[in-house]
Amino acid sequence: MQEQTHINRSPRSFACDLATLCAPTLAGLKPASLFRYQPAPGQDAAAMAAAWDAALSPRGVAVRILKQCPRTGAVLVYVYRPARVATLLADSGALAFLAGEGYTPGDADTLLGQLSARLCCDADFPHEIGVFLGYPLADVIGFIRNRGKNFTACGYWKVYTDPAAAQAEFDRYKKCERIYARCYYNGTSIRRLTVAA
């Protein structure tokens, strides 16, 4: 009789998620990415985020925790290019939209602080987060108005405007993720994978 062994898969590491799930941001194709990370017992997710922020900030990328679950310790990690996000959030259309959603006008850090508070304290998920991720404003508005239904395409976000253009962007991001995953698993460092701003 052959002995049965049970293999426990180890959870993905913070670095692995950063390299693979945030590849389009690290490559400079996308202004920001978001991922959920569940730290292993004894791991300090805030310390990991701070270490990666320090390592990548010279290349124009910031790493910030937007929310931490007090029960499980899971975190929502926002990886972004501060200069690009500041430009996105300074756009008059984006500012007007965010003001309409109850945000107090301010710079990117102020607005990110308000988003973080909404993620932590509001009962409803703040779907305006799409603006902070660089999704087309018309698609973010379309998603909210349609309550996530009636979209014309779906990928990194639900599309309400130009499905062909969005699909081309989705394909670029997917290709980037495949390349970055291969490079990362073959030993290329995340710092080296991060395109300088």
Side-chain angles (χ1 to χ4, degrees):
M1 187 168 157
Q2 194 172 17
E3 184 181 322
Q4 296 264 341
T5 56
H6 178 71
I7 299 171
N8 284 327
R9 291 187 179 268
S10 62
R12 290 174 61 151
S13 70
F14 192 97
C16 176
D17 284 354
L18 180 63
T20 57
L21 302 176
C22 301
T25 299
L26 298 178
L29 301 178
K30 196 170 179 287
S33 297
L34 185 72
F35 70 93
R36 181 188 180 278
Y37 181 72
Q38 177 66 61
Q43 283 187 324
D44 183 349
M48 288 186 277
W52 280 110
D53 183 65
L56 299 180
S57 65
R59 302 195 69 79
V61 172
V63 179
R64 176 177 182 159
I65 290 179
L66 290 180
K67 178 183 181 179
Q68 182 160 19
C69 176
R71 190 174 51 80
T72 66
V75 291
L76 272 181
V77 183
Y78 183 63
V79 178
Y80 65 111
R81 293 187 171 264
R84 289 191 53 198
V85 169
T87 300
L88 275 175
L89 298 178
D91 174 75
S92 60
L95 282 174
F97 166 71
L98 290 173
E101 293 294 310
Y103 283 73
T104 303
D107 63 11
D109 277 338
T110 301
L111 293 167
L112 279 166
Q114 292 175 63
L115 173 64
S116 181
R118 285 169 177 242
L119 282 163
C120 293
C121 303
D122 286 3
D124 295 328
F125 187 83
H127 292 293
E128 69 275 6
I129 197 169
V131 172
F132 294 84
L133 294 168
Y135 301 165
L137 181 59
D139 290 338
V140 175
I141 293 169
F143 181 89
I144 292 169
R145 284 188 182 151
N146 289 278
R147 297 187 173 151
K149 298 176 182 166
N150 307 317
F151 49 89
T152 59
C154 185
Y156 287 79
W157 66 87
K158 288 186 177 176
V159 180
Y160 293 85
T161 52
D162 184 346
Q167 189 59 56
E169 200 70 4
F170 298 161
D171 292 346
R172 274 179 70 207
Y173 295 165
K174 276 288 178 212
K175 181 178 180 183
C176 176
E177 287 176 355
R178 283 193 304 272
I179 292 168
Y180 269 54
R182 186 171 60 243
C183 291
Y184 175 74
Y185 291 124
N186 285 333
T188 305
S189 73
I190 292 173
R191 184 169 164 74
R192 200 157 156 228
L193 287 170
T194 305
V195 175

